[in-house]
Amino acid sequence: MLYVDSTACVSVNGVHMSAKNEGYDGFVFSCVYVLGGATLSLERCDLTCESAAVVQIEDAGTTAVVAGCSIHDGNSDGVFIIGKAKATLENNDIHSNTRSGVCVQGEGSEAVLKTNTIHHCKGSGVCIYEKAKATLENNTIIGNDLAGVQLQDHATATLTGNTIKGNGVCLAERIEEELAAWTEARVALYRSSGGFPGLGVLDHSTVSMSPGSNTIEGNGKVGGTVEQVLVDGTSAG
C-alpha cells in the first residue's frame, strides 16, 4: 500500500501494489491513498485492492497523474477523486472493479481522462457527482454493468472522441446464484426492458459534446433490441 500525505511529492514507476482486507483499527485502506495537498505521479504500475477503492485521491491541493497503469479488482471504485482533488488519468486499463471504474465526486473535484480503457466494472464506467467536473477524451468505455458515463447532481463534463458501447447490458450467462447476491438495482437491470444508458445526465447536470465526436451505441440492451444513441450535447433539468 502507498500512503502519500502532508504536501509530499512522490513518483512511482513500474511496480505492483495491492491492499488486502486488513485495516488498522478498523480503518479500510486503499491500495494508493493520496491526500492532504500531496502530489503523486504513478506510471506503469499494477494496482489492486481487496478492501476499498484501488486509488483514492482526496483534499484540496492534492494532485495526481496516473498513466499506463492497470487498475483492477477493487472492492469499490477503481479510482475515487473527492474533496476538491484534481487528477489526470491517461492510457490506463481500468477494469473489474466492484463499483465504478472512475468516480469524481464533490464541488471542486476535477478529472481529466484521456485514452483510458474502462471496462467490465459492476457499476458505471465513469461517475461524476455533486458539482464535480470531468473532461473525457478518446476513452473506450465498454461492458460495464450500469451506465457508461453517469452525471448526477449539477455535475459537468465535456466528451470528445470517446467510444461508449455495450454498457448496461445484462449478459445471458448471468446465473441465478450470482443474481441472488446482487443489489436491487442490478436485479432491476436484469429484468428491465431498457437497462442503463451509455450516457446518463441527471439532476441539473450538463454534458458538452460536438455532434458526431463520440460513438455512443449498443448500450442499455437487456434481452431486447432497445438501443439508446446520443449524437449531440444535452442538459438535463
Side-chain angles (χ1 to χ4, degrees):
M1 184 199 126
L2 177 64
Y3 182 88
V4 184
D5 193 4
S6 301
T7 68
C9 183
V10 175
S11 179
V12 180
N13 194 320
V15 301
H16 170 78
M17 288 183 280
S18 64
K20 295 187 177 181
N21 194 15
E22 298 174 353
Y24 175 75
D25 287 344
F27 188 81
V28 178
F29 289 109
S30 296
C31 175
V32 175
Y33 190 16
V34 52
L35 72 163
T39 299
L40 176 67
S41 174
L42 288 176
E43 295 185 25
R44 299 186 304 107
C45 296
D46 181 76
L47 310 170
T48 188
C49 182
E50 295 180 5
S51 56
V54 181
V55 178
Q56 183 159 331
I57 304 161
E58 187 173 335
D59 294 335
T62 300
T63 60
V65 175
V66 182
C69 295
S70 178
I71 301 170
H72 59 95
D73 295 293
N75 196 29
S76 183
D77 304 304
V79 180
F80 186 31
I81 302 158
I82 190 172
K84 301 184 179 181
K86 294 177 171 57
T88 297
L89 312 178
E90 187 167 2
N91 198 32
N92 300 289
D93 183 18
I94 302 173
H95 67 91
S96 307
N97 297 289
T98 300
R99 296 183 66 181
S100 302
V102 178
C103 182
V104 190
Q105 184 174 346
E107 186 173 10
S109 300
E110 297 183 18
V112 176
L113 280 66
K114 295 182 179 180
T115 62
N116 301 284
T117 301
I118 303 171
H119 60 103
H120 298 101
C121 296
K122 293 184 179 179
S124 297
V126 179
C127 291
I128 308 157
Y129 291 158
E130 299 172 3
K131 301 183 180 180
K133 297 180 180 180
T135 299
L136 282 71
E137 298 179 4
N138 302 318
N139 300 284
T140 300
I141 303 171
I142 55 175
N144 299 287
D145 277 5
L146 304 185
V149 178
Q150 180 75 43
L151 283 79
Q152 196 162 328
D153 192 9
H154 300 267
T156 305
T158 301
L159 277 67
T160 306
N162 302 284
T163 298
I164 305 173
K165 288 186 175 184
N167 302 284
V169 178
C170 184
L171 303 179
E173 58 264 30
R174 296 292 193 200
I175 59 174
E176 292 302 320
E177 289 83 355
E178 182 180 4
L179 291 174
W182 279 19
T183 66
E184 232 173 81
R186 293 188 184 136
V187 173
L189 167 62
Y190 178 73
R191 296 174 179 169
S192 168
S193 61
F196 288 83
L199 174 62
V201 187
L202 304 172
D203 304 330
H204 304 280
S205 295
T206 303
V207 61
S208 300
M209 301 191 299
S210 299
S213 66
N214 299 276
T215 301
I216 304 176
E217 61 186 19
N219 302 284
K221 292 183 180 179
V222 185
T225 59
V226 175
E227 183 168 296
Q228 298 173 350
V229 182
L230 182 59
V231 296
D232 203 348
T234 187
S235 175

